[in-house]
Amino acid sequence: MVIEEAASQLEALGNESRLKIYRVLVRAGQTGIPVGQLQERVGIPASTLSHHLKRLVDAGLASQERQATTLICRADYRSMRALIGFLSDECCAEEGCVASSR
Amino acid sequence: MVIEEAASQLEALGNESRLKIYRVLVRAGQTGIPVGQLQERVGIPASTLSHHLKRLVDAGLASQERQATTLICRADYRSMRALIGFLSDECCAEEGCVASSR
DNA sequence: CCGCTATTTCCAAAGGTATGGAAATAGCGG
DNA sequence: CCGCTATTTCCATACCTTTGGAAATAGCGG
């Protein structure tokens, strides 16, 4: 993972609304969750939610799949795994840190 | 870790300059590194660097300690550990993710 | 107290982000 | 093709971020 990508993913997650959205996505598992239900769950206006979702998708943290008129959203676990890996490896490579204490 | 804190730390790391700075801090280990050396290392004007450092410190990701005229900066490993824990636990609690594949 | 180095704060400009209502679009089911 | 629901795009507004030069401050050593 290159630093630009890590930064853009961290930026995407570095907003309370988006982090909440992302958390709901994660809890929805592989099944995913439609935008509408997501909206009820997080209580954000549709327009705003759509903007935030786009940021998460653009950052590679989530994906969307059309099923008729509804859009199913899913967290991309691989990217989160890669991001956690980056934080552990690149940013926590020295003594005293989680990576070395394992 | 509460979601507000996680979001603010992710936001602090979600900027390429700050992520680079943070990485240098981590690599400097417990010894830490003076602001001046950090500046040479990342090639950012002193003023800008100072702003970024403040953000990292405010987010609890780094700390600073005066030693005479120089300021030693250090990464706060505990906060990174907590952040990685949050991402693994809160955001990756379902099937298919890193947390469950361990 | 002075000069010196290290670092911050002040200030201002430019651009980006967040927000959400209103209008547009997508994709059925009939 | 129409109406309907789901979702996005358009648009505008307010606010926040990033950037960096210049001036201010901190803390020595003399």
Side-chain angles (χ1 to χ4, degrees):
Chain A
M1 154 118 51
V2 290
I3 198 166
E4 292 85 9
E5 193 185 4
S8 83
Q9 295 188 343
L10 289 165
E11 185 183 33
L13 293 173
N15 169 280
E16 213 174 311
S17 297
R18 281 193 299 272
L19 192 50
K20 279 178 183 160
I21 291 166
Y22 185 76
R23 209 158 54 155
V24 174
L25 290 184
V26 167
R27 278 152 210 264
Q30 295 293 344
T31 314
I33 181 173
V35 175
Q37 279 183 42
L38 196 47
Q39 193 194 338
E40 291 171 18
R41 205 76 67 89
V42 295
I44 289 176
S47 171
T48 305
L49 176 59
S50 185
H51 291 310
H52 283 316
L53 275 172
K54 184 172 182 340
R55 299 270 257 117
L56 289 172
V57 171
D58 285 351
L61 289 164
S63 63
Q64 295 179 309
E65 182 199 354
R66 259 230 127 79
Q67 280 187 8
T69 51
T70 68
L71 245 199
I72 307 294
C73 307
R74 289 191 189 84
D76 185 321
Y77 297 118
R78 275 174 312 174
S79 61
M80 176 53 82
R81 188 163 21 211
L83 181 58
I84 291 178
F86 175 87
L87 291 178
S88 300
D89 301 343
E90 292 292 311
C91 284
C92 261
E94 305 299 319
E95 4 89 54
C97 190
V98 61
S100 53
S101 66
R102 274 195 188 141
Chain B
M1 154 118 52
V2 289
I3 198 164
E4 293 85 8
E5 192 185 4
S8 83
Q9 294 187 343
L10 289 166
E11 184 183 32
L13 293 173
N15 170 281
E16 213 175 309
S17 297
R18 282 194 298 273
L19 191 52
K20 280 178 184 160
I21 291 167
Y22 184 76
R23 208 157 56 155
V24 173
L25 290 183
V26 166
R27 279 151 208 266
Q30 294 294 344
T31 314
I33 180 173
V35 175
Q37 278 184 41
L38 197 46
Q39 193 194 338
E40 290 171 20
R41 205 74 68 90
V42 293
I44 289 176
S47 171
T48 304
L49 176 59
S50 185
H51 292 309
H52 283 315
L53 275 173
K54 183 171 182 340
R55 299 270 257 117
L56 290 173
V57 170
D58 286 351
L61 289 164
S63 62
Q64 295 178 308
E65 183 199 352
R66 259 230 127 79
Q67 278 186 10
T69 51
T70 69
L71 245 199
I72 307 294
C73 307
R74 289 191 189 84
D76 185 323
Y77 297 116
R78 274 174 313 173
S79 61
M80 176 53 81
R81 188 161 23 207
L83 182 58
I84 290 178
F86 175 87
L87 292 178
S88 300
D89 300 343
E90 293 290 312
C91 284
C92 260
E94 306 299 319
E95 4 88 56
C97 192
V98 62
S100 53
S101 66
R102 274 194 187 141

